[in-house]
Amino acid sequence: MTITSQGEELILDKERALFLPKHQLLAISDLHLGKSAHFRQAGLQVPATIAQTDLQRLSLLIKQYNPKTLLINGDMFHHGLNTDIDEFLAWRKQYQELNLLLVKGNHDRLSGANYAAMNIEIHESNYCLGPFCFIHDAPNCTDEELYPISGHIHPGVTIVGKAKQRLKFPCFYFGKDYAVLPAFSLFTGLYTIYPKANERIFAVTPKSVVEV
């Protein structure tokens, strides 16, 4: 779905990604690579293919939009190094010419040397582009002139069908003061958003992005 925000065209993709055509930038949030391996290390039976699936989805997005820059808006990695990170290292070698930016989130705790070895450009608090300020947690944005685009909360919306069935989907949220991207990883929960007047919610269904 294509919308206009702050005077710029934005494409909301059903794979939980945002594309800015003017800047040739693809943005996602909350990739959480390493989360499944972290749970397996704790003895929980979590599939080992979660990281592979998320990276395959990311590859398809790169093929579709051919961005110059991939921006990950926080929580790229879930705690420390593990086997899921090895999956990413192999994936990164396929896209060495792609600029990869990380706005650090609360889970991004690797060393500077680790990020440098993976050819990741680090932005500690935010990354500003045009009228937007990409920041992991929007309430922490201090630049009043720019429109924050955040992640962090894994937003979701509940839709009630004609038969009163309730379905919950990830969503894009565009409010008066800031926007929130859906969590990219399929291995995350959802925090239900209750929109107020004049706020826009776009549910991410298996087939398309639809405005609620």
Side-chain angles (χ1 to χ4, degrees):
M1 174 176 282
T2 301
I3 67 169
T4 299
S5 177
Q6 315 306 307
E8 290 206 9
E9 179 183 88
L10 304 178
I11 298 175
L12 313 182
D13 195 280
K14 68 180 181 63
E15 291 298 335
R16 313 184 188 187
L18 174 71
F19 183 62
L20 284 66
K22 180 179 178 179
H23 306 283
Q24 293 185 278
L25 179 138
L26 180 69
I28 65 172
S29 187
D30 298 276
L31 181 55
H32 284 285
L33 286 172
K35 184 175 181 179
S36 58
H38 179 75
F39 276 66
R40 290 195 300 275
Q41 289 173 349
L44 299 177
Q45 298 301 310
V46 177
T49 57
I50 292 174
Q52 294 175 0
T53 300
D54 286 341
L55 291 172
Q56 287 170 359
R57 292 168 52 230
L58 192 50
S59 290
L60 291 174
L61 285 166
I62 291 170
K63 182 178 180 180
Q64 178 178 352
Y65 294 107
N66 191 29
K68 287 185 177 180
T69 302
L70 170 63
L71 183 144
I72 300 178
N73 201 24
D75 286 359
M76 178 176 184
F77 299 113
H78 193 85
H79 297 300
L81 296 171
N82 55 39
T83 54
D84 283 357
I85 310 303
D86 294 337
E87 295 281 352
F88 171 77
L89 288 171
W91 180 90
R92 182 67 174 117
K93 291 179 180 179
Q94 303 174 56
Y95 302 100
Q96 297 187 40
E97 300 303 316
L98 179 67
N99 295 326
L100 202 166
L101 313 182
L102 170 63
V103 176
K104 291 182 75 173
N106 52 297
H107 282 284
D108 295 307
R109 303 171 185 174
L110 302 185
S111 69
N114 290 142
Y115 293 120
M118 292 182 276
N119 194 19
I120 299 172
E121 181 181 321
I122 297 299
H123 294 264
E124 288 287 344
S125 57
N126 59 60
Y127 178 76
C128 299
L129 183 69
F132 304 111
C133 176
F134 288 92
I135 184 168
H136 187 57
D137 191 4
N140 292 329
C141 185
T142 58
D143 195 326
E144 297 181 356
E145 297 181 358
L146 300 179
Y147 185 68
I149 298 178
S150 66
H152 185 52
I153 65 173
H154 309 172
V157 63
T158 299
I159 299 177
V160 181
K162 293 182 179 179
K164 297 186 178 180
Q165 71 273 31
R166 301 173 67 87
L167 299 174
K168 196 170 184 179
F169 298 102
C171 70
F172 294 87
Y173 163 82
F174 284 82
K176 176 180 176 292
D177 297 319
Y178 60 87
V180 185
L181 301 180
F184 184 79
S185 176
L186 300 178
F187 188 41
T188 56
L190 294 175
Y191 172 79
T192 302
I193 295 288
Y194 298 97
K196 301 177 182 177
N198 300 319
E199 296 183 336
R200 303 182 73 183
I201 297 286
F202 301 88
V204 181
T205 75
K207 293 185 178 180
S208 62
V209 175
V210 295
E211 187 163 10
V212 177

